[in-house]
Amino acid sequence: GCFVFKPSTKKRRLSEKTAHDFRSTSCDSEDTELRFVTYQSLWNQIKFETEQIQEDLNKQLLDNLVSFLSRSHSDFHEKTTKWTCRMKFREIPTAALVLGVNVTDHDLTFRSLSDVLQDNITPYVALLEAKDCPGIKNLMQKLMGQLMNCDIEVDSMEDEDCVQVSRNGIRCSMPSLISWYESVTKKTDSETPSKKRNSSSRHWQSPPVVVIFKDMESFTTKVLQDFIVISSQHISELPLVLIFGIATSPMIIHRLLPHSVSSLLCIELFQSLSCKEHLSTIIDKLLLTSRFPFKLGEKVLQVLINIFLYHDFSVQNFVKGFQLCIVEHFYSQPLSVLCCHLVDIKKRVYSLSHDQCENIRRLPSFRRYVEKQESGKQIELLTNDSFLKEETQKLLEDLHAYHENYVSVLRCLHVFTSSLPKYPLGKQIRELHCACLENRVWETEEYESSLQLARMLNKTDLLTMLQQCVEILMSSSGKEFDKAVEKLKEFLTQFQNLEEASQEQDVSVSSQKELQKKTDLYHLQKTLLELKESRRSKKLTKFEMLRFEVVDYIDRLVRKYLVPADNRTLHEIVYFNAATVLRGHLNAAPRTALHTALNNPHWYLKNQALKCDGGCISNKAPDICIVYKLHLECGRLINLVDWLEAFSTVVTAAEEPNADAASSDQVDDIIHARFIRAVSELELLGFIKPSKQKTDHVARLTWGGC
Amino acid sequence: MSRPEGTRSSRRSLQVKFVPDEDVLKHIVDDAGTKVRKDKAQLSVSVKRFVKKLENISDNEAQEILEEKNYVAALGICAQDPLGNGSNISGGEVYSFQTPKRSNKMAELASELAHTPEKNVAPDQSKCPEKMAKNKMFLLMHVFSLLFQNKKKEFVSTTPYRLRKRLAAPDPYLESESEYSASCSEEEDEEEQKKVIIVSSDQKTPAKTKAASTPPPRNSLAKKIKEQKMGSLVEEYFEAHSSSKVLTSDRTLQKLRKRTLNQQTLRDLLKNAPLAYAAEIRDLNKQHESLFSKWMLQLHLGFNIVLYGLGSKRDLLEKFRTSLLQDSVHLVVNGYFPSITVRSILNSITEEVLDHIGTFRSPLDQLEFITKRFKEDSSLELYVLIHNLDSQMLRGERSQQILAQLSSLPSIYLIASIDHINAPLMWDQAKLSLYNWLWYETTTFNPYVEETSFENSLLVQQSGSLALSSLTHVLHSLTLNARGIFRLLAQHQLEKKDNPSYPGLSFQDFYQQCREAFLVNSDLTLRAQLTEFRDHKLIRTKRGADGVEYLLIPVDDSTLTDFLEKEDEDV
């Protein structure tokens, strides 16, 4: 069943040929190269960025782990003779690493972990996976293989015999491991003065052996228990450290291991960053920044986030989806040439061909823009290429500026909304971002209610928020914010002044109180109530006035800067909006596609004969559709004879029986054959299976669609 | 609200009413009028606020629902997709409960379908009545078969055939009932006959009315219908699951007196039969073919591609291969092939692509070797095309794991097709991330010619030709005694073929018989022989409830008969 095809002339496809594939639609082929290059540089940047983020986020965790490891066996080589120490050494130091359910992201974490360990602590790191270790024997084999291999890498000498040893794997047992360890450490001891200086300075004389169980939950308990018991016997000779990768909760250790075994471990718990935080950081750094010219549309972002939240919690998949978006955008949108950094825009705009100019004119957002201009300019825009280019450049620069402002104002708004009770606009900035992209946020009810809530903020909160906003706006690269910053600062000082003023007021109130010192209970009550009343019904304090002003100002900023991107001219160039394509590729539903094809073949085969209304199906439909439709009417078992008969009734009725009785036998055979084919196709698709319960019966396997 | 109202009226008309302290105070203090008004405003404000709070709370509850809706909306936005990948159906339609079925419903639907086009397309009046009659007859036939089945009469299965013969008669729809009753009354008493008539007319009418009154006045009835639907859904569920008995007719293909088709004739017949909607299917395939360069690009960018949708995707992939992969090393795997294994895939990579001679201890070792080689030599590139990644032989967990790891290598480009409805269940998150799939819907409506051409995937007529040849081949390599032993077992099984609960021949009985035929001299030799049979999958052993070992040949009766006949010829 396998066939290898080799080209006779060994033409090697070069990587630059990938660009050749980029030649998508026939209409334009000129800018494809450039588009591909742009794509590549952009994607590389983003990839680098995500890796950086991942590294930064894991740094804390890795640091903790490293310090734990260095602590665990620090006294190994010195005090082995001490009896107490030996007693203590019966316990294997263990790190339980809680990583969360997004299993797919773990690989990266482990990779960076082992890199860090190899750099800082020990060359002897073994990564074990449950699928490689069905038994203790396999586990030992795998472990020794990895350890000895890494030993070879460290030595990087012509240790031929060593290779052979590990290849043959004479006896994978603990004693052999220990003897190997001794020989290795001795060797490094003796070689320390020579060239191995740097490596020995990084590691200590007897570095610990780190064994990482990547997916602890899927290991068989017996294997784990055996391994732990055996190695705890030898812990005094072999400085072993275990790391458990845990996807669920730390409780699993105690469920997998009985007390007698888990008491041999000295467990310390480490918690990795939650994937949600990771995602927020990624979104923050990749999407809410003006560093990358490429943007995601609202629907697309929603699809990506939904896949993350409802399906896998995998940041990796999110980034993959992001990559797909970029590919799709640069592949399908010829104007994506212009989706580049601000510095390149001018050059690229002026090198546009006439066809590309036509493409620009065809953009819906550009048409809208043209319609708004006066007639003279309209004609210029539609006929004069160079004028169009100038205009395009200006518009693109506008768009760029819009992004810069958008991000800063969005952050400011988020500062306000994220602390409101009930979070009417969402807790995360991504929710706010989606809301702003979707439509005019200030027209939504949520925005209205959050403004109302903001009008009730207390002073300290308000002050800190304002402070934060000032910082955000100051740090943004947008030039238009000088005034806004000034205004906000003014608000701040006003609040400060207010504080003093209110203190004075307090003084005056207390003095008033003192005036009425001599009074009876009734009067006291009366005045107190009065005071309360007056406070409640007071028109508006200065503070409140100011608060209103602040909120109104923020509102004004929002209305000015958070215009949804669809309204901007030329947004098609930088925004990717084909959510359906994305969803089809990432989150496909094969079953529904089959369902549609079988129930409604007209969806795919555009033939009038197949068109019919509602749930029924034409009798001219493809055989498999008819057979499928008929089988829906059956119970658990289907009699093949009945089925065949029903099928032939339908088919003969459909075929306008011009055939006479004479040739009916021939036709029957053909129908029979078609029936067989259709039924076996249904079997291949998994709707039915042969059944032994009754002769000539098949069993139904699904219950949908009836 | 009422309180301030009360105070105001009390001021005007001096009625005695309950007045809260604060208001009295206000009244006493000074210019009460304005204050009260203010107070009222305040109160109403607070009330409003309270209401708002309540709203907020309910909002919060509603929010979850809303979010759910958003999710569905976001995921279901495909509806406006022009090309249409058919995912605009809700899951409830695709996945539903089992509903109870009457056994003749299929026939009803068939007859309904049979004359649907007469409504739409210009009807051919002359043929209509005949056809109608035919359908009616068909229905009746099923009623009969149902009834007879319940009565467990032997003649039943022949009757429909007789009836069917009569269908050819020119005027069958006149007084059909009396004819049938006549045909039955030979063996049935009068009462039964009446029942038949009643039932047949009963069955007929709903089918007719159903067709006639399809569009009822929906609006008025909608709610009622929905309620009924809910109620009936529950009832139906329990009805469908209450009895394990299966109500189907007892007719078998053998009694149809149709010659069984073998693979070759089937193929020839189908070749003659014209493919329906060839033009539309070609259009559909053209659409898919326009994606080839995109696939190539995405493969190169590190994604792998999986194709799904109704219809064979073999030709499509083949076309992809011939048009784009001619200049590069590629491997085609026919997953539907019944003897394909992961090992053979790996072997062809190591032996033919990497030109490595030597064996490996395990597939994992082999995989490691391949990984190493591909990592070392960056100029090495390999395209892997797998037809039917979800086939019987490849769907196992281990094979998928290995294939996934293989596909995750940056210079191996995998493009595969899946067909089974549950194929996505093969992959967990870890495998999915290794595969790094991009899904493409390629509904082709092409018949699955190659995929279903192998014996094990066909359940119907041509069963056994492969099994037969393997039986004879294996047995020819055995000793004469061994063949005798197998014959004995086969004969015994054929004798008992009418007994549906035949458990197999018990070992002791078998031993006795073999001894009598001088085929074995001790039960050890018999056991040794049986082990050999079992290794060749010629027999199956089962332990009965009483602990006795039963032997069974897992081949259907007709094949076994053929086999014995052939053996007789040989001997």
Side-chain angles (χ1 to χ4, degrees), chain B residues 21-180:
Chain B
D21 283 358
E22 302 154 55
D23 292 344
V24 176
L25 189 75
K26 258 169 259 148
H27 189 69
I28 295 165
V29 177
D30 49 0
D31 49 16
T34 49
K35 281 242 166 159
V36 172
R37 221 170 295 141
K38 258 185 199 163
D39 184 54
K40 186 185 160 193
Q42 194 78 40
L43 260 175
S44 65
V45 163
S46 71
V47 168
K48 247 189 215 161
R49 244 178 236 158
F50 181 65
V51 170
K52 200 160 278 165
K53 247 185 212 164
L54 271 180
E55 268 171 6
N56 269 349
I57 290 165
S58 60
D59 267 1
N60 203 41
E61 277 165 17
Q63 188 114 19
E64 282 165 35
I65 302 165
L66 195 82
E67 265 165 26
E68 230 164 84
K69 264 190 204 153
N70 277 346
Y71 166 65
V72 171
L75 290 185
I77 34 182
C78 281
Q80 70 265 35
D81 191 7
L83 198 140
N85 41 8
S87 37
N88 56 344
I89 334 164
S90 68
E93 228 174 297
V94 185
Y95 306 98
S96 61
F97 289 122
Q98 179 182 356
T99 48
K101 299 289 180 197
R102 281 170 295 136
S103 58
N104 56 342
K105 235 182 153 187
M106 184 155 71
E108 262 173 46
L109 182 78
S111 62
E112 215 173 288
L113 281 182
H115 52 215
T116 35
E118 262 72 60
K119 284 184 220 147
N120 301 339
V121 189
D124 192 353
Q125 285 299 338
S126 60
K127 295 228 167 92
C128 217
E130 194 190 334
K131 207 173 285 161
M132 289 284 277
K134 211 171 169 183
N135 294 330
K136 247 186 251 170
M137 299 283 291
F138 189 70
L139 260 180
L140 278 175
M141 210 171 63
H142 272 276
V143 176
F144 276 120
S145 67
L146 183 69
L147 272 176
F148 296 149
Q149 179 208 340
N150 292 341
K151 293 226 56 168
K152 294 272 177 206
K153 290 275 176 182
E154 191 52 45
F155 75 95
V156 177
S157 42
T158 57
T159 325
Y161 188 68
R162 243 183 286 160
L163 291 185
R164 225 158 46 85
K165 281 267 141 184
R166 256 178 228 163
L167 290 181
D171 54 347
Y173 69 106
L174 303 167
E175 301 190 345
S176 49
E177 284 102 337
S178 63
E179 262 186 20
Y180 293 129

Side-chain angles (χ1 to χ4, degrees), chain A residues 381-438:
Chain A
L381 278 174
L382 293 179
T383 52
N384 190 346
D385 274 0
S386 56
F387 185 73
L388 175 82
K389 282 174 186 171
E390 247 170 65
E391 196 69 19
T392 308
Q393 191 203 341
K394 220 189 303 164
L395 285 172
L396 282 174
E397 276 163 7
D398 281 356
L399 199 61
H400 195 84
Y402 156 77
H403 281 140
E404 280 179 353
N405 300 336
Y406 175 89
V407 172
S408 321
V409 175
L410 186 76
R411 281 182 207 280
C412 286
L413 182 60
H414 181 241
V415 165
F416 274 88
T417 56
S418 62
S419 59
L420 296 178
K422 310 274 188 214
Y423 309 105
L425 277 172
K427 213 188 272 188
Q428 305 281 350
I429 194 164
R430 58 165 190 261
E431 294 164 84
L432 191 64
H433 181 48
C434 279
C436 291
L437 280 179
E438 195 179 2

Side-chain angles (χ1 to χ4, degrees), chain A residues 88-256:
Chain A
K88 195 185 144 219
F89 274 153
R90 289 293 294 275
E91 285 185 351
I92 312 172
T94 307
L97 195 55
V98 181
L99 291 161
V101 290
N102 48 335
V103 191
T104 45
D105 293 349
H106 294 179
D107 255 1
L108 267 176
T109 317
F110 280 121
R111 212 175 306 147
S112 54
L113 173 64
S114 72
D115 284 350
V116 166
L117 290 185
Q118 260 159 3
D119 281 352
N120 295 325
I121 303 270
T122 168
Y124 313 120
V125 179
L127 277 160
L128 297 178
E129 272 180 277
K131 60 171 189 281
D132 300 331
C133 311
I136 183 80
K137 196 178 141 209
N138 307 63
L139 188 143
M140 288 305 291
Q141 251 169 15
K142 199 85 193 164
L143 177 64
M144 292 192 64
Q146 285 196 22
L147 288 179
M148 289 172 177
N149 268 341
C150 68
D151 168 42
I152 291 157
E153 276 161 30
V154 166
D155 285 352
S156 65
M157 288 190 302
E158 73 287 356
D159 274 322
E160 285 292 312
D161 52 349
C162 193
V163 180
Q164 255 152 19
V165 166
S166 71
R167 270 276 156 259
N168 297 336
I170 313 166
R171 285 195 46 159
C172 294
S173 65
M174 222 50 189
S176 59
L177 189 64
I178 290 163
S179 61
W180 161 82
Y181 181 74
E182 272 168 5
S183 71
V184 166
T185 43
K186 222 170 273 164
K187 208 187 283 171
T188 43
D189 270 358
S190 58
E191 279 170 9
T192 333
S194 67
K195 61 190 170 180
K196 303 233 104 195
R197 194 159 263 289
N198 59 340
S199 81
S200 59
S201 65
R202 275 191 288 129
H203 314 301
W204 315 301
Q205 269 181 334
S206 52
V209 175
V210 179
V211 181
I212 302 175
F213 295 87
K214 272 187 175 180
D215 39 356
M216 198 224 181
E217 283 97 339
S218 28
F219 275 92
T220 22
T221 49
K222 183 133 188 6
V223 173
L224 268 185
Q225 289 173 20
D226 286 353
F227 179 73
I228 291 169
V229 171
I230 293 171
S231 47
S232 80
Q233 295 297 321
H234 299 278
I235 190 69
S236 50
E237 295 140 280
L238 184 73
L240 196 70
V241 182
L242 305 182
I243 295 179
F244 291 146
I246 293 171
T248 50
S249 84
M251 276 308 292
I252 198 76
I253 298 175
H254 298 288
R255 203 164 309 156
L256 284 178

Side-chain angles (χ1 to χ4, degrees), chain B residues 324-341:
Chain B
L324 285 180
L325 297 184
Q326 280 311 318
D327 297 337
S328 34
V329 187
H330 54 277
L331 168 72
V332 177
V333 179
N334 295 331
Y336 50 83
F337 200 68
S339 64
I340 189 100
T341 55

Side-chain angles (χ1 to χ4, degrees), chain A residues 11-15 17 21, chain B residues 296 300 324 328 381 383:
Chain A
K11 282 188 240 162
R12 289 271 176 234
R13 289 181 70 94
L14 297 172
S15 60
K17 280 229 176 163
D21 301 322
Chain B
M296 208 60 181
H300 283 178
L324 285 180
S328 34
E381 280 185 328
Y383 295 83

Side-chain angles (χ1 to χ4, degrees), chain B residues 290-358:
Chain B
S290 65
L291 294 171
F292 280 175
S293 63
K294 198 170 173 185
W295 291 354
M296 208 60 181
L297 168 75
Q298 285 168 343
L299 285 176
H300 283 178
L301 293 179
F303 296 101
N304 291 309
I305 285 175
V306 62
L307 309 178
Y308 65 91
L310 182 68
S312 167
K313 289 159 279 289
R314 199 172 168 281
D315 292 344
L316 192 68
L317 280 179
E318 222 16 51
K319 195 146 193 187
F320 175 71
R321 186 179 78 77
T322 48
S323 58
L324 285 180
L325 297 184
Q326 280 311 318
D327 297 337
S328 34
V329 187
H330 54 277
L331 168 72
V332 177
V333 179
N334 295 331
Y336 50 83
F337 200 68
S339 64
I340 189 100
T341 55
V342 182
R343 188 132 219 181
S344 57
I345 298 174
L346 292 176
N347 276 343
S348 49
I349 293 178
T350 48
E351 281 162 21
E352 295 184 54
V353 179
L354 301 177
D355 297 319
H356 173 85
I357 304 151

